[in-house]
């Protein structure tokens, strides 16, 4: 059985969980707070980041969400998430990188630092200026997502792909932290409402990070 080392608001762990759920792969969750720098966890991943996926019986340790997703995409045929033509697969990977790098760097990373790490670890108040800028950038990125969904059924084309999973993972964390203004983004809102109803997504919506409460709409598929 696979073990997934993660914490509830790690968007990269959510990305892996959604892929595993869509492919029907069983796993056990192991709560890991990477800022604690546990020796046992650093033995698995000296970089000290989540997610890490381990199968002790097979002696396999996988690190980095994209590497983990590519591993299961290559080894499990069920529900392919990087498929289609070479150009189509390139588009899936491009948009996955966009969410993992741009959306995370501009929106999710700052929100996590200000509304989670400062509260749980540093015990200081968030910087309102940083929060406003993260929300402004979220709005810009969601304009682009609206554009994509106006021209496609899913983020990267006609079928659900890893790009959608990455987008949903990062957007869900930003939404949990109150960083998303849904007004004026009906295409993304409809797409996300549908994603929230998927069986792979429901377990994520029921989880909570200690002392941090999400908005009242967070769990509702129709919001």
């Amino acid at each position: 059985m696979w073990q997934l080392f993660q914490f509830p608001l790690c968007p990269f762990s959510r990305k892996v969980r959604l892929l595993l759920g869509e492919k029907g792969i069983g796993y056990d969750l192991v709560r890991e707070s990477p800022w604690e720098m546990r020796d046992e966890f650093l033995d698995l991943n000296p970089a000290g980041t989540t997610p890490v996926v381990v199968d002790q019986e097979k002696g396999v340790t996988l690190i980095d969400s994209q590497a983990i997703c590519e591993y299961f995409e290559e080894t499990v045929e069920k529900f392919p998430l990087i498929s289609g033509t070479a150009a189509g697969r390139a588009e899936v990977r491009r948009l996955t990188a966009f969410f993992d790098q741009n959306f995370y760097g501009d929106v999710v990373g700052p929100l996590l630092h200000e509304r989670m790490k400062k509260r749980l670890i540093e015990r200081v108040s968030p910087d309102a200026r940083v929060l406003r800028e993260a929300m402004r950038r979220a709005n810009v990125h969601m304009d682009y997502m609206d554009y994509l969904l106006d021209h496609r059924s899913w983020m990267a084309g006609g079928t659900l792909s890893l790009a959608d999973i990455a987008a949903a993972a990062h957007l869900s964390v930003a939404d949990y932290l109150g960083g998303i203004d849904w007004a004026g983004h009906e295409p993304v809102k409809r797409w996300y409402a549908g994603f929230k109803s998927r069986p792979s997504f429901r377990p994520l919506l029921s989880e909570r990070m200690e002392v941090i409460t999400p908005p009242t709409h967070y769990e509702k598929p129709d919001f």
Side-chain angles (χ1 to χ4, degrees):
M1 175 69 75
W2 293 100
Q3 291 181 307
L4 172 59
F5 291 78
Q6 58 95 53
F7 66 95
L9 291 184
C10 173
F12 301 102
S13 299
R14 287 184 170 214
K15 174 185 167 187
V16 170
R17 292 179 66 182
L18 288 170
L19 177 137
L20 295 176
E22 294 291 342
K23 286 183 172 289
I25 301 169
Y27 62 94
D28 291 327
L29 285 178
V30 181
R31 173 63 182 270
E32 187 65 45
S33 300
W35 52 89
E36 294 178 356
M37 303 293 285
R38 290 191 313 116
D39 288 341
E40 294 85 354
F41 183 63
L42 293 176
D43 287 342
L44 295 175
N45 179 15
T49 57
T50 52
V52 174
V53 175
V54 176
D55 186 329
Q56 293 182 340
E57 290 186 359
K58 294 180 180 178
V60 176
T61 299
L62 306 174
I63 300 167
D64 179 81
S65 70
Q66 190 61 24
I68 294 168
C69 289
E70 295 268 1
Y71 172 89
F72 286 110
E73 184 70 4
E74 291 179 8
T75 58
V76 179
E77 293 184 1
K78 181 180 178 181
F79 208 107
L81 290 161
I82 306 175
S83 60
T85 65
R89 296 194 301 274
E91 179 68 350
V92 170
R93 290 185 170 98
R94 180 187 75 84
L95 286 172
T96 301
F98 169 80
F99 291 110
D100 284 349
Q101 298 169 18
N102 299 69
F103 197 91
Y104 177 80
D106 289 343
V107 181
V108 182
L111 288 172
L112 281 170
H113 184 261
E114 296 297 326
R115 288 191 165 158
M116 186 193 77
K117 292 182 180 178
K118 280 191 172 181
R119 186 169 186 180
L120 293 179
I121 304 167
E122 300 173 13
R123 309 290 183 178
V124 297
S125 299
D127 186 328
R129 180 190 60 81
V130 174
L131 292 175
R132 286 194 299 270
E133 179 62 14
M135 293 184 72
R136 185 191 70 79
R137 294 189 176 193
N139 192 59
V140 172
H141 289 319
M142 289 177 70
D143 283 341
Y144 177 52
M145 295 166 69
D146 284 334
Y147 168 80
L148 292 174
L149 292 168
D150 277 338
H151 295 80
R152 304 168 175 179
S153 301
W154 296 90
M155 286 290 170
T159 59
L160 185 148
S161 72
L162 187 60
D164 297 278
I165 283 177
H170 289 283
L171 196 61
S172 67
V173 174
D175 192 38
Y176 185 108
L177 295 170
I180 299 297
D181 181 359
W182 292 101
H185 295 291
E186 284 304 315
V188 178
K189 189 175 180 180
R190 287 194 301 270
W191 165 85
Y192 187 55
F195 218 112
K196 289 169 80 171
S197 300
R198 298 183 72 84
S200 65
F201 205 95
R202 295 304 300 168
L204 276 64
L205 294 174
S206 64
E207 291 187 5
R208 295 293 180 268
M209 194 79 187
E210 57 270 19
V211 311
I212 303 173
T213 303
T216 55
H217 69 260
Y218 172 74
E219 271 190 275
K220 301 174 183 177
D222 297 320
F223 61 101

